[in-house]
Amino acid sequence: MAIRSLRPTHRRTPPKFFCLILLIVVPTCIFGIYTNYPKISYFFRPLWDKPPTPFIRLPHYYAENVTMDHLCRLHGWSLRAEPRRVFDGIIFSNELDMLDIRWHELYPYVTKLVILEANTTFTGIPKPLFFASNRSRFAFAEEKVVHDIFPGIVVPRGSRTDPFELEKKQRIAMNALLRHAGISYGDVLIMSDTDEIPSPHTVKLLQWCDGIPSTMHLELKHYMYSFEFPVDYSSWRATSHIYGPRTFYQHSRQTNYLFSDAGWHCSFCFQHIEDFVFKMTAYSHADRVKRREFLNYARIQKLICRGDDLFDMLPEEYSFKELIKKMGPIPRSTSAVHLPAYLIKNVDKFRFLLPGGCIRPQD
Ligand SMILES: *[C@@H]1O[C@H](CO)[C@@H](O)[C@H](O)[C@H]1NC(C)=O
Ligand SMILES: *[C@@H]1O[C@H](CO)[C@@H](O)[C@H](O)[C@H]1NC(C)=O
Ligand SMILES: *[C@@H]1O[C@H](CO)[C@@H](O)[C@H](O)[C@H]1NC(C)=O
C-alpha cells in the first residue's frame, strides 16, 4: 500500500500546452542569458576557470614595542647593521586622498617617493594631471618626490585600443624613472598601486632584516569604498623587491611568496562621486560600464552606502562556496583599529573613509 502510493501518477498533459510553454520559456531564457552573459559566466567561473597556483604564505609577526632584532629573528631573518634604502614606485591616476595617506604613512621610511602620471587614461582619453595640479597638497613630502608625466596616446572616439598595452608602456617608463631617482642594487623597491598601502611595520622589516626573499607579494587587507567595508585578504598584487639587474616594474604574479597581513588596499576610496565616475570610465576594466545609468550620482551614492557592487557584477571566485559567501553587499564593520595612523590622526578630513561616514559631499 505504502509503496504503491509513492509511484508517480501519470496524467496526460495536452501537447498544445507544452508547445506554448516552450515558445515562451526558451526565448526568455536565451534573452536572459544574452543580456546577463557576464554575470552568468562569472557565476559559472568555478567550472571554466582554474585558480592560480596557490601562494606560499610567509607568516608575519608584529606587536608594538618589540625590538627589530627580535622581529627579524621571529621570521628566521637577522638584523642588519644599517637599514636598506626604500623606493616607493606608483603609477598614479586620481586617488589624491589615498596618496595623501600613503605618503604620510611611508614618508619616514622611504628615500624617494616615485610617481608617474599619464596625461591620458589607459583607454586613451585625455586626463587632467591630478597630481601635478594638486601638488601643493603634498608639500610635506616635496624633497623626496620624484614625479614625471607619461605622454599618453589619445585614441579617437569610436576606435579601440588595448588598455593593457598602454599600461605596459607606462610600466617601462616607470623603470626609467626609478633609475633616474637613483635606485641601486640592494635597495628595497615597493611596486604597487596608489591605493595599496604597505604598513610601516612591514616596510621596517624590509629595511632592517637580512634574509628576506628578493621578491615577495604583499597580502593586503582589501576594503571597498572606505574602511567601513572590509572585503577579505585577497589583495596580492603589491610586491616588495630587493632591487637587482632583473627587477622590472610590474603589477602581476611574480613569485610564489606572499607576505601575510602586510597593509591595506582600499579600492574606490574616493571623497567625491565625480572621482568614482572618472575611475569607472578610465581604468582597464572600463568595459564593465555596460549601461549609462551606472554613472548616475544618486545610484553610486546609494550603492557605496550599502557596500554593493558598482558594476552589478558577481565576485571573482574560483569555488562555488566562496562565490556564494561573497554574493550580495559587503558586511559593514565598526572597527577603526589597525588603520593607517595618519587617517586616525585626521578623522575630520577623512570622515568618508571611516565607519558611519559613507555619505559623500555634494558639490
Ligand atoms: C617599550 O619598551 C621599553 C623597554 O622595554 C619600555 O621602557 C617602554 O615603557 C615601552 N613602551 C611602551 C609604550 O610600552
Ligand atoms: C586637483 O586637480 C584637478 C585636476 O586638475 C582639479 O580639477 C581639482 O580641483 C584639484 N583638486 C584640488 C583639491 O585642488
Ligand atoms: C601629453 O603630453 C605630451 C608631451 O608633453 C604632449 O605632446 C601631448 O599633447 C599631451 N597629450 C594630452 C592629451 O594632453
Side-chain angles (χ1 to χ4, degrees), residues 42-275:
Y42 266 64
F43 185 78
F44 289 109
R45 181 176 208 121
L47 299 180
W48 57 258
D49 203 2
K50 273 212 289 282
T53 320
F55 281 108
I56 299 165
R57 287 165 183 278
L58 304 177
H60 181 173
Y61 298 86
Y62 174 72
E64 266 176 66
N65 216 18
V66 177
T67 63
M68 273 327 288
D69 179 41
H70 190 67
L71 286 176
C72 287
R73 281 168 198 280
L74 285 172
H75 294 85
W77 305 328
S78 59
L79 187 70
R80 291 168 58 86
E82 51 182 62
R84 295 187 177 91
R85 299 197 306 162
V86 179
F87 287 72
D88 179 47
I90 52 172
I91 292 175
F92 184 72
S93 171
N94 66 329
E95 309 89 345
L96 287 167
D97 290 303
M98 281 295 125
L99 185 67
D100 196 8
I101 294 171
R102 176 189 193 90
W103 280 3
H104 272 102
E105 217 57 25
L106 298 182
Y107 185 81
Y109 314 101
V110 299
T111 300
K112 293 288 177 200
L113 298 160
V114 182
I115 177 169
L116 182 68
E117 73 175 327
N119 62 5
T120 69
T121 66
F122 289 146
T123 42
I125 305 161
K127 159 191 167 301
L129 296 170
F130 288 99
F131 176 75
S133 52
N134 293 271
R135 191 156 181 163
S136 56
R137 182 171 171 185
F138 301 94
F140 72 91
E142 192 57 48
E143 67 191 80
K144 293 188 179 179
V145 173
V146 177
H147 169 251
D148 201 9
I149 293 163
F150 176 82
I153 299 150
V154 179
V155 177
R157 275 186 169 278
S159 58
R160 279 181 159 267
T161 171
D162 181 1
F164 295 101
E165 198 52 41
L166 210 54
E167 198 171 341
K168 197 171 132 199
K169 284 193 180 139
Q170 290 190 31
R171 299 196 187 283
I172 293 169
M174 185 56 153
N175 285 310
L177 189 58
L178 283 163
R179 285 192 296 272
H180 173 76
I183 197 167
S184 46
Y185 296 162
D187 291 340
V188 171
L189 170 60
I190 295 162
M191 300 180 187
S192 74
D193 281 353
T194 309
D195 57 9
E196 298 167 338
I197 308 177
S199 56
H201 61 81
T202 302
V203 180
K204 276 204 265 186
L205 285 174
L206 301 173
Q207 268 190 303
W208 279 102
C209 303
D210 257 336
I212 60 173
S214 62
T215 306
M216 288 193 289
H217 284 274
L218 303 177
E219 180 194 60
L220 307 177
K221 190 165 184 185
H222 189 209
Y223 298 85
M224 188 63 80
Y225 314 136
S226 79
F227 293 97
E228 183 169 20
F229 295 108
V231 184
D232 55 17
Y233 273 99
S234 65
S235 176
W236 55 266
R237 287 182 179 272
T239 44
S240 71
H241 300 255
I242 306 293
Y243 189 77
R246 284 205 296 272
T247 311
F248 183 81
Y249 196 90
Q250 290 177 67
H251 198 233
S252 49
R253 181 74 176 258
Q254 299 177 57
T255 168
N256 286 338
Y257 291 119
L258 179 65
F259 193 46
S260 303
D261 201 357
W264 311 271
H265 178 186
C266 202
S267 298
F268 285 90
C269 289
F270 296 114
Q271 180 161 191
H272 302 283
I273 306 278
E274 68 202 57
D275 297 325

